[in-house]
Amino acid sequence: MKQITIAYIMLCLIYSCNSTKDMSPATSQDSGDNIEKIPFVEDLLQKMTLEEKIGQMNLYNGFYDLTGPAPAGGDAAIKYANLSKGYVGGMLNVRGVKNVRKLQKIAVEESRLGIPLIFGYDVIHGFKTLAPIPLAESASWDLEAIEQSARIAAMEASAAGLNWTFAPMVDISRDARWGRVMEGAGEDTYLASKIATARVQGFQGNDLSDPSTIAACAKHFAAYGFAESGKEYNTVDMSNVVLHNVILPPFKACVDAEVATFMNAFNTLNGVPATSHNYLQRDVLKGAWNFQGFVVSDWGSVGEIVTHGQASDEKEAGALAVRAGSDMDMESYVYINHLKELVDSNRVNKEDIEDAARRILNVKYKLGLFDDPYKYCDEQREKEIIRASEHRAAVLEMAKKSIVLLKNDRELLPIRPNQKVAVIGPMVEEKNSPLGSWRLASDDHTAVSIREGLEQYENIEWTFAEGVRLLDAAPAFVLETKINMDDRTGIDEAVSIAKENDVVIMALGEHGFQSGEARSRTQLDLPGLQQELLEAVYAVNPNIVLVLNNGRPLTIPWAKDNIPAILEAWQLGTESGNAIAQVLMGDYNPSGKLTVSFPRAVGQLPLYYNQKNTGRPVPMDNQEMVFWSHFGDESNMPLFPFGFGLSYTSFKYSDFQVHLNADNNIDVRIKIANTGQRQGEEVVQLYIRDLAASITRPVLELKGFDKIDLKPGESKELQFSLTDKELGFYNDQGRFIVEAGQFDVFVGGSSDKLMKKTVDRK
Ligand code: NOJ
């Protein structure tokens, strides 16, 4: 294989040494010289004492919400005292104009230099008006809609006094056991990178100083989604090839979109905590990528360097973190307690402090906080913008786009007028679960329930029953969910109404608090007694439409084999019930496609479409033979594959052409026709396979897509071009290389149903 283009992604190929006990200042790729020097900030830095610079590197939790373990150092009196000394850079979990103004006033009026605070919050999929969870939104493959959703979140959050969100989470994950798959954009790096860009643009707009935009934060840098066995906060060990090809590109996309901040991660990567990871933060992010913003730690993660076992005490942890480029300490109190002494004793360079303070002040400057520290504190705007009716309309559209039709045998859907329909299950009346677990600012029980959505259709005779309760106890944010495993008293009623109706809609799934941070699961079937309920109802009426509400893929092979219609409706936010009703009734034609593979069994995990071939893939001739890569008790195939999703209409792909042009790029053409009776949208997907390369490549890789809207009988031709950017890859040295040779090119509407052509690239 001849290497024809070599672009170095970084000069340093070897992990820079995070020497275990060496407390001398480290040299790194990132000298701080390339960071923008804004005259106003430079003047300010001149005036600041070392303590004041360190103060900027300090992020305190406010007094309203708690999104991590309550820390020992979180004494309110000390926090207030430090605010007035100018020893706080920002606050998280303070919301509402009144509350923000109160703290900002202390910083601006009582501290020596009056430097305003930055106010951060987990605005993950909306503020008061909630859009679908990010995983659901990703299933829309609609970048414009996703950008708009982030825009609405920014408008509401900024109206509540906030100017910084801890989003987007751009972690790739291939393991549905991990609770935070709900917060990402699925398993594919290419799609997730596009979505990351859309989200950053949505939050930040074109001008950070516009009071309706907020600073975004790409998190968690890096590899947090690859926690071993999907167990939250667990260890990550991975090759350079996976790191560079799978994990880093969505982060790089955020840097290219000029994201203002990064958050590092709780996990270790190859033995080094992400928070003290020189290579990630100094060499890659601030060095090779020239990131201009600042890096915040995750909650307490500076202190956790000790718990991980890389530092023997907090002081050492602080030194490691600062030297590795963690600019701001969220809730560890390590920087505020130890940095001054570390600098005085020459164990941390004062240039590193200066660099961190500069980065933080630059972001504040770009937000316009020095012009007006209260620019996000407009009570009138707060009243008008939050929960605006246009926001509800927009999140309803987003929710409909996020729904994926997984099965529709006998065209059971849409529901026909004048049918008698039973609606059964613990999710039918749920107004809380559809809000998901990242819904801090939103009011509890404010989602439109499925029942409320359906009852708007008065020409249908509806009968409702819960069947079984999902939970024994209502969960609070910090409590484990208690699943009902005993109370079957509602099953008889459910069975009897199922008998009397033409069709049964069964709304089942996970509670909103069963996914999200610290919500890993070892079993991914329908929790509690729901499977039992489903089978009991099926025994008397098999005309079932299963509506799933969940934050991650579930293992539901029985349902796939037996239930004729399945709709994946995730956790869709404030307008959930309306969106589901409109799809069930055919007022909206579903067009979502899965961005995560659904496993048949937990034992298949990690499961993802772009796997490697192995030396012993499925034998074409003799599958009875045992020596190939498979499970003895389960298929290799997913239950539902990446890219899969049905429509109420049908699409035909034809005229597939692939040719190598004079620039050595691969031109692709494909015609798609709507061959059904209804208008519909289709996500057209383009994949490649590099058949032989110096580093083995996946059997399929998404490299392009387009979402098109076609009327019945209408067709469109699409063109794609595959260039070095799409055809190259990172080698085990982290270098981007492009190699000549044969490529398979695939087009289709799902990763398991593709047309293929092969081309030789010079
Ligand atoms: C911990 C989470 O990992 C992070 O994503 C979040 O932004 C912080 N807590 C702050 O709430």
Side-chain angles (χ1 to χ4, degrees), residues 481-502:
T481 46
K482 301 266 187 315
I483 303 296
N484 165 35
M485 297 304 290
D486 314 305
D487 184 357
R488 297 179 163 80
T489 47
I491 295 186
D492 284 351
E493 185 204 1
V495 166
S496 90
I497 71 161
K499 273 188 205 152
E500 290 156 14
N501 283 277
D502 306 321

Side-chain angles (χ1 to χ4, degrees), residues 429-480:
E429 311 252 3
E430 257 295 331
K431 293 176 70 62
N432 220 15
S433 259
L435 302 177
S437 61
W438 270 131
R439 32 77 84 76
L440 294 166
S442 177
D443 302 320
D444 285 346
H445 305 283
T446 48
V448 176
S449 70
I450 294 177
R451 177 175 186 153
E452 288 165 336
L454 290 174
E455 278 181 333
Q456 291 169 50
Y457 291 86
E458 288 169 357
N459 54 342
I460 306 270
E461 209 181 298
W462 305 107
T463 317
F464 298 93
E466 187 183 37
V468 294
R469 253 185 306 110
L470 177 53
L471 297 180
D472 268 338
F477 192 60
V478 291
L479 287 182
E480 295 299 324

Side-chain angles (χ1 to χ4, degrees), residues 195-362:
I195 291 177
T197 305
R199 290 200 165 123
V200 171
Q201 283 167 351
F203 288 128
Q204 297 194 166
N206 297 324
D207 177 9
L208 261 193
S209 74
D210 176 334
S212 72
T213 63
I214 55 180
C217 180
K219 71 186 189 186
H220 305 84
F221 198 59
Y224 178 46
F226 270 50
E228 272 177 13
S229 65
K231 190 173 71 175
E232 185 67 295
Y233 314 130
N234 210 0
T235 304
V236 181
D237 280 301
M238 79 170 39
S239 73
N240 239 0
V241 171
V242 176
L243 180 67
H244 284 275
N245 287 289
V246 180
I247 302 298
L248 295 184
F251 289 101
K252 175 65 164 56
C254 291
V255 173
D256 293 343
E258 296 183 22
V259 69
T261 70
F262 258 57
M263 185 186 292
N264 54 39
F266 290 125
N267 56 286
T268 55
L269 173 64
N270 302 334
V272 178
T275 307
S276 52
H277 216 291
N278 241 304
Y279 175 72
L280 283 176
Q281 300 184 134
R282 289 273 186 219
D283 296 347
V284 176
L285 179 62
K286 294 178 174 180
W289 293 354
N290 194 22
F291 171 60
Q292 294 287 311
F294 70 85
V295 179
V296 63
S297 81
D298 203 344
W299 182 293
S301 70
V302 175
E304 287 174 19
I305 295 171
V306 180
T307 334
H308 278 299
Q310 198 204 19
S312 51
D313 57 24
E314 287 200 339
K315 196 181 290 176
E316 189 184 0
L320 290 170
V322 171
R323 281 158 30 184
S326 293
D327 301 309
M328 191 183 252
D329 172 0
M330 184 200 294
E331 276 295 288
S332 283
Y333 307 95
V334 169
Y335 286 4
I336 191 77
N337 290 339
H338 303 291
L339 272 190
K340 166 89 170 55
E341 196 197 322
L342 282 164
V343 175
D344 289 346
S345 58
N346 274 336
R347 285 180 289 173
V348 163
N349 285 329
K350 59 179 183 319
E351 289 75 20
D352 283 347
I353 305 293
E354 178 102 350
D355 178 56
R358 175 180 288 116
R359 287 172 178 276
I360 294 162
L361 294 170
N362 279 358

